[in-house]
Amino acid sequence: MAHFSQSLSSLTRPCRLALLAVLATAALPSTADARIGGYDGIWNVTFATTRGNCSSGYSVPFTVIGGRVSSAGGGRVSGRVSRGGAVAVQVSVGASHASGGGRLAGGAGAGFWNGIISGDRCSGTWQATRS
């Protein structure tokens, strides 16, 4: 630390001010960090099956609070939404279970899913809108 202090003191005043401004800016939370709750709310997620013998077009409400995804209806839902909007979710209802991933941006999102639904291996896409 003494070496850093010596190096800092050897800089001209304008250079020191510029360096301190850069360091202070780096210490501030970014816009994405400030939006940690930016995805909070109830999301209506509609699933489409593209492979397998599973029903398609059903909708499920999910809740996002502080980046954590949970069920707003039936079944067990767990997952996360990153500050950048990346989603990873696991869902289980009885013997059926699926996992998925994708991205949220603003009030909409989309992604993929795969799992075993009523004994059939299926996969597909999902789309979400915030209520």
PDB file of all heavy atoms in Angstrom, residues 1 5-7 12 17 42 46 48 50 52 55 59 62 65-66 81 89 92 102 105-109 112 115 122:
ATOM      1  N   MET A   1       0.820  -1.179   0.000  1.00  0.00           N
ATOM      2  CA  MET A   1       0.000   0.000   0.000  1.00  0.00           C
ATOM      3  C   MET A   1       0.867   1.248   0.000  1.00  0.00           C
ATOM      4  O   MET A   1       0.530   2.229  -0.613  1.00  0.00           O
ATOM      5  CB  MET A   1      -0.939  -0.043   1.214  1.00  0.00           C
ATOM      6  CG  MET A   1      -1.964   1.032   1.205  1.00  0.00           C
ATOM      7  SD  MET A   1      -3.098   0.761  -0.159  1.00  0.00           S
ATOM      8  CE  MET A   1      -4.493   1.596   0.427  1.00  0.00           C
ATOM      9  N   SER A   5       0.740   4.540  -2.543  1.00  0.00           N
ATOM     10  CA  SER A   5       0.666   5.925  -2.079  1.00  0.00           C
ATOM     11  C   SER A   5       1.797   6.740  -2.667  1.00  0.00           C
ATOM     12  O   SER A   5       1.609   7.886  -3.067  1.00  0.00           O
ATOM     13  CB  SER A   5       0.727   5.990  -0.552  1.00  0.00           C
ATOM     14  OG  SER A   5      -0.390   5.342  -0.011  1.00  0.00           O
ATOM     15  N   GLN A   6       3.009   6.173  -2.697  1.00  0.00           N
ATOM     16  CA  GLN A   6       4.149   6.877  -3.292  1.00  0.00           C
ATOM     17  C   GLN A   6       3.910   7.128  -4.770  1.00  0.00           C
ATOM     18  O   GLN A   6       4.156   8.204  -5.277  1.00  0.00           O
ATOM     19  CB  GLN A   6       5.419   6.039  -3.143  1.00  0.00           C
ATOM     20  CG  GLN A   6       6.251   6.415  -1.966  1.00  0.00           C
ATOM     21  CD  GLN A   6       7.509   5.562  -1.968  1.00  0.00           C
ATOM     22  OE1 GLN A   6       7.551   4.455  -2.496  1.00  0.00           O
ATOM     23  NE2 GLN A   6       8.542   6.084  -1.356  1.00  0.00           N
ATOM     24  N   SER A   7       3.409   6.111  -5.491  1.00  0.00           N
ATOM     25  CA  SER A   7       3.150   6.255  -6.915  1.00  0.00           C
ATOM     26  C   SER A   7       2.085   7.311  -7.158  1.00  0.00           C
ATOM     27  O   SER A   7       2.188   8.115  -8.072  1.00  0.00           O
ATOM     28  CB  SER A   7       2.681   4.932  -7.515  1.00  0.00           C
ATOM     29  OG  SER A   7       3.696   3.973  -7.374  1.00  0.00           O
ATOM     30  N   THR A  12       0.999  14.150 -11.250  1.00  0.00           N
ATOM     31  CA  THR A  12       0.621  15.562 -11.204  1.00  0.00           C
ATOM     32  C   THR A  12      -0.800  15.666 -10.670  1.00  0.00           C
ATOM     33  O   THR A  12      -1.573  14.695 -10.718  1.00  0.00           O
ATOM     34  CB  THR A  12       0.689  16.196 -12.607  1.00  0.00           C
ATOM     35  OG1 THR A  12      -0.289  15.565 -13.425  1.00  0.00           O
ATOM     36  CG2 THR A  12       2.074  16.080 -13.209  1.00  0.00           C
ATOM     37  N   LEU A  17      -6.363  13.624  -9.893  1.00  0.00           N
ATOM     38  CA  LEU A  17      -7.810  13.849  -9.888  1.00  0.00           C
ATOM     39  C   LEU A  17      -8.508  12.938 -10.890  1.00  0.00           C
ATOM     40  O   LEU A  17      -9.561  12.367 -10.602  1.00  0.00           O
ATOM     41  CB  LEU A  17      -8.125  15.318 -10.173  1.00  0.00           C
ATOM     42  CG  LEU A  17      -7.727  16.297  -9.075  1.00  0.00           C
ATOM     43  CD1 LEU A  17      -7.997  17.731  -9.522  1.00  0.00           C
ATOM     44  CD2 LEU A  17      -8.470  15.993  -7.783  1.00  0.00           C
ATOM     45  N   ILE A  42     -45.047 -10.105 -11.280  1.00  0.00           N
ATOM     46  CA  ILE A  42     -45.629 -11.372 -11.728  1.00  0.00           C
ATOM     47  C   ILE A  42     -45.494 -11.437 -13.245  1.00  0.00           C
ATOM     48  O   ILE A  42     -45.839 -10.494 -13.959  1.00  0.00           O
ATOM     49  CB  ILE A  42     -47.101 -11.490 -11.299  1.00  0.00           C
ATOM     50  CG1 ILE A  42     -47.172 -11.516  -9.768  1.00  0.00           C
ATOM     51  CG2 ILE A  42     -47.746 -12.735 -11.907  1.00  0.00           C
ATOM     52  CD1 ILE A  42     -48.562 -11.568  -9.198  1.00  0.00           C
ATOM     53  N   THR A  46     -45.908 -18.424 -21.111  1.00  0.00           N
ATOM     54  CA  THR A  46     -46.623 -19.341 -22.006  1.00  0.00           C
ATOM     55  C   THR A  46     -45.614 -20.285 -22.643  1.00  0.00           C
ATOM     56  O   THR A  46     -44.595 -19.857 -23.175  1.00  0.00           O
ATOM     57  CB  THR A  46     -47.368 -18.557 -23.112  1.00  0.00           C
ATOM     58  OG1 THR A  46     -48.257 -17.640 -22.486  1.00  0.00           O
ATOM     59  CG2 THR A  46     -48.152 -19.506 -24.005  1.00  0.00           C
ATOM     60  N   ALA A  48     -44.584 -23.467 -25.261  1.00  0.00           N
ATOM     61  CA  ALA A  48     -44.887 -24.148 -26.523  1.00  0.00           C
ATOM     62  C   ALA A  48     -43.979 -25.370 -26.625  1.00  0.00           C
ATOM     63  O   ALA A  48     -42.790 -25.283 -26.337  1.00  0.00           O
ATOM     64  CB  ALA A  48     -44.633 -23.212 -27.703  1.00  0.00           C
ATOM     65  N   THR A  50     -42.027 -28.036 -28.813  1.00  0.00           N
ATOM     66  CA  THR A  50     -41.504 -28.212 -30.169  1.00  0.00           C
ATOM     67  C   THR A  50     -41.033 -29.640 -30.411  1.00  0.00           C
ATOM     68  O   THR A  50     -40.896 -30.051 -31.562  1.00  0.00           O
ATOM     69  CB  THR A  50     -40.335 -27.237 -30.443  1.00  0.00           C
ATOM     70  OG1 THR A  50     -39.330 -27.422 -29.450  1.00  0.00           O
ATOM     71  CG2 THR A  50     -40.822 -25.795 -30.414  1.00  0.00           C
ATOM     72  N   GLY A  52     -41.597 -33.742 -28.721  1.00  0.00           N
ATOM     73  CA  GLY A  52     -42.218 -34.618 -27.740  1.00  0.00           C
ATOM     74  C   GLY A  52     -43.735 -34.557 -27.817  1.00  0.00           C
ATOM     75  O   GLY A  52     -44.313 -33.786 -28.578  1.00  0.00           O
ATOM     76  N   SER A  55     -48.561 -31.434 -24.124  1.00  0.00           N
ATOM     77  CA  SER A  55     -49.486 -30.379 -24.539  1.00  0.00           C
ATOM     78  C   SER A  55     -48.744 -29.056 -24.666  1.00  0.00           C
ATOM     79  O   SER A  55     -47.694 -28.854 -24.070  1.00  0.00           O
ATOM     80  CB  SER A  55     -50.646 -30.260 -23.545  1.00  0.00           C
ATOM     81  OG  SER A  55     -50.155 -29.975 -22.262  1.00  0.00           O
ATOM     82  N   SER A  59     -50.213 -21.636 -19.910  1.00  0.00           N
ATOM     83  CA  SER A  59     -49.575 -20.485 -19.263  1.00  0.00           C
ATOM     84  C   SER A  59     -49.488 -20.704 -17.763  1.00  0.00           C
ATOM     85  O   SER A  59     -50.392 -21.288 -17.159  1.00  0.00           O
ATOM     86  CB  SER A  59     -50.384 -19.210 -19.517  1.00  0.00           C
ATOM     87  OG  SER A  59     -50.369 -18.890 -20.879  1.00  0.00           O
ATOM     88  N   PHE A  62     -45.380 -16.789 -12.821  1.00  0.00           N
ATOM     89  CA  PHE A  62     -44.202 -16.858 -11.955  1.00  0.00           C
ATOM     90  C   PHE A  62     -44.043 -15.512 -11.262  1.00  0.00           C
ATOM     91  O   PHE A  62     -44.423 -14.479 -11.815  1.00  0.00           O
ATOM     92  CB  PHE A  62     -42.930 -17.126 -12.759  1.00  0.00           C
ATOM     93  CG  PHE A  62     -42.833 -18.497 -13.363  1.00  0.00           C
ATOM     94  CD1 PHE A  62     -42.037 -18.707 -14.475  1.00  0.00           C
ATOM     95  CD2 PHE A  62     -43.513 -19.576 -12.842  1.00  0.00           C
ATOM     96  CE1 PHE A  62     -41.917 -19.967 -15.044  1.00  0.00           C
ATOM     97  CE2 PHE A  62     -43.404 -20.839 -13.405  1.00  0.00           C
ATOM     98  CZ  PHE A  62     -42.605 -21.037 -14.508  1.00  0.00           C
ATOM     99  N   ILE A  65     -38.877 -11.762  -7.300  1.00  0.00           N
ATOM    100  CA  ILE A  65     -38.620 -10.801  -6.227  1.00  0.00           C
ATOM    101  C   ILE A  65     -37.124 -10.816  -5.947  1.00  0.00           C
ATOM    102  O   ILE A  65     -36.580 -11.844  -5.542  1.00  0.00           O
ATOM    103  CB  ILE A  65     -39.393 -11.132  -4.940  1.00  0.00           C
ATOM    104  CG1 ILE A  65     -40.902 -11.089  -5.198  1.00  0.00           C
ATOM    105  CG2 ILE A  65     -39.020 -10.151  -3.820  1.00  0.00           C
ATOM    106  CD1 ILE A  65     -41.745 -11.552  -4.029  1.00  0.00           C
ATOM    107  N   GLY A  66     -36.472  -9.676  -6.183  1.00  0.00           N
ATOM    108  CA  GLY A  66     -35.041  -9.565  -5.912  1.00  0.00           C
ATOM    109  C   GLY A  66     -34.190 -10.568  -6.656  1.00  0.00           C
ATOM    110  O   GLY A  66     -33.181 -11.030  -6.139  1.00  0.00           O
ATOM    111  N   VAL A  81     -32.957 -14.754 -11.729  1.00  0.00           N
ATOM    112  CA  VAL A  81     -32.812 -13.825 -12.843  1.00  0.00           C
ATOM    113  C   VAL A  81     -31.595 -12.975 -12.518  1.00  0.00           C
ATOM    114  O   VAL A  81     -31.535 -12.366 -11.449  1.00  0.00           O
ATOM    115  CB  VAL A  81     -34.042 -12.906 -13.015  1.00  0.00           C
ATOM    116  CG1 VAL A  81     -33.830 -11.947 -14.181  1.00  0.00           C
ATOM    117  CG2 VAL A  81     -35.301 -13.719 -13.214  1.00  0.00           C
ATOM    118  N   VAL A  89     -34.419 -21.564 -14.489  1.00  0.00           N
ATOM    119  CA  VAL A  89     -35.564 -21.952 -13.663  1.00  0.00           C
ATOM    120  C   VAL A  89     -35.744 -23.468 -13.686  1.00  0.00           C
ATOM    121  O   VAL A  89     -35.508 -24.115 -14.703  1.00  0.00           O
ATOM    122  CB  VAL A  89     -36.856 -21.277 -14.186  1.00  0.00           C
ATOM    123  CG1 VAL A  89     -38.059 -21.699 -13.382  1.00  0.00           C
ATOM    124  CG2 VAL A  89     -36.729 -19.771 -14.156  1.00  0.00           C
ATOM    125  N   SER A  92     -41.410 -28.138 -10.982  1.00  0.00           N
ATOM    126  CA  SER A  92     -41.896 -29.503 -10.796  1.00  0.00           C
ATOM    127  C   SER A  92     -43.343 -29.461 -10.305  1.00  0.00           C
ATOM    128  O   SER A  92     -43.707 -28.637  -9.469  1.00  0.00           O
ATOM    129  CB  SER A  92     -41.016 -30.288  -9.821  1.00  0.00           C
ATOM    130  OG  SER A  92     -41.055 -29.714  -8.541  1.00  0.00           O
ATOM    131  N   GLY A 102     -33.287 -18.563 -20.424  1.00  0.00           N
ATOM    132  CA  GLY A 102     -33.609 -17.553 -21.419  1.00  0.00           C
ATOM    133  C   GLY A 102     -33.223 -16.183 -20.914  1.00  0.00           C
ATOM    134  O   GLY A 102     -32.311 -16.039 -20.098  1.00  0.00           O
ATOM    135  N   ALA A 105     -36.143  -8.870 -20.683  1.00  0.00           N
ATOM    136  CA  ALA A 105     -35.715  -7.513 -21.028  1.00  0.00           C
ATOM    137  C   ALA A 105     -36.952  -6.630 -20.979  1.00  0.00           C
ATOM    138  O   ALA A 105     -37.910  -6.882 -21.718  1.00  0.00           O
ATOM    139  CB  ALA A 105     -35.073  -7.465 -22.409  1.00  0.00           C
ATOM    140  N   GLY A 106     -36.946  -5.637 -20.102  1.00  0.00           N
ATOM    141  CA  GLY A 106     -38.115  -4.783 -19.959  1.00  0.00           C
ATOM    142  C   GLY A 106     -39.284  -5.573 -19.422  1.00  0.00           C
ATOM    143  O   GLY A 106     -39.190  -6.199 -18.384  1.00  0.00           O
ATOM    144  N   GLY A 107     -40.382  -5.604 -20.163  1.00  0.00           N
ATOM    145  CA  GLY A 107     -41.571  -6.324 -19.718  1.00  0.00           C
ATOM    146  C   GLY A 107     -41.842  -7.595 -20.477  1.00  0.00           C
ATOM    147  O   GLY A 107     -42.953  -8.110 -20.462  1.00  0.00           O
ATOM    148  N   ALA A 108     -40.822  -8.148 -21.160  1.00  0.00           N
ATOM    149  CA  ALA A 108     -41.014  -9.369 -21.939  1.00  0.00           C
ATOM    150  C   ALA A 108     -39.789 -10.267 -21.809  1.00  0.00           C
ATOM    151  O   ALA A 108     -38.735  -9.842 -21.348  1.00  0.00           O
ATOM    152  CB  ALA A 108     -41.258  -9.033 -23.402  1.00  0.00           C
ATOM    153  N   GLY A 109     -39.955 -11.517 -22.212  1.00  0.00           N
ATOM    154  CA  GLY A 109     -38.836 -12.449 -22.184  1.00  0.00           C
ATOM    155  C   GLY A 109     -39.117 -13.651 -23.054  1.00  0.00           C
ATOM    156  O   GLY A 109     -40.250 -13.864 -23.492  1.00  0.00           O
ATOM    157  N   PHE A 112     -36.003 -21.214 -23.675  1.00  0.00           N
ATOM    158  CA  PHE A 112     -36.201 -22.618 -24.008  1.00  0.00           C
ATOM    159  C   PHE A 112     -36.497 -23.395 -22.728  1.00  0.00           C
ATOM    160  O   PHE A 112     -36.243 -22.918 -21.623  1.00  0.00           O
ATOM    161  CB  PHE A 112     -34.942 -23.188 -24.672  1.00  0.00           C
ATOM    162  CG  PHE A 112     -33.761 -23.146 -23.731  1.00  0.00           C
ATOM    163  CD1 PHE A 112     -33.474 -24.225 -22.900  1.00  0.00           C
ATOM    164  CD2 PHE A 112     -32.966 -22.016 -23.637  1.00  0.00           C
ATOM    165  CE1 PHE A 112     -32.409 -24.177 -22.003  1.00  0.00           C
ATOM    166  CE2 PHE A 112     -31.899 -21.960 -22.750  1.00  0.00           C
ATOM    167  CZ  PHE A 112     -31.626 -23.038 -21.933  1.00  0.00           C
ATOM    168  N   GLY A 115     -37.800 -31.165 -20.348  1.00  0.00           N
ATOM    169  CA  GLY A 115     -38.134 -31.917 -19.153  1.00  0.00           C
ATOM    170  C   GLY A 115     -38.913 -33.162 -19.467  1.00  0.00           C
ATOM    171  O   GLY A 115     -39.059 -33.568 -20.629  1.00  0.00           O
ATOM    172  N   CYS A 122     -39.906 -34.011 -23.330  1.00  0.00           N
ATOM    173  CA  CYS A 122     -40.336 -32.936 -24.227  1.00  0.00           C
ATOM    174  C   CYS A 122     -39.409 -31.736 -24.096  1.00  0.00           C
ATOM    175  O   CYS A 122     -38.671 -31.606 -23.111  1.00  0.00           O
ATOM    176  CB  CYS A 122     -41.744 -32.479 -23.879  1.00  0.00           C
ATOM    177  SG  CYS A 122     -42.985 -33.763 -24.022  1.00  0.00           S
TER     178      CYS A 122
END
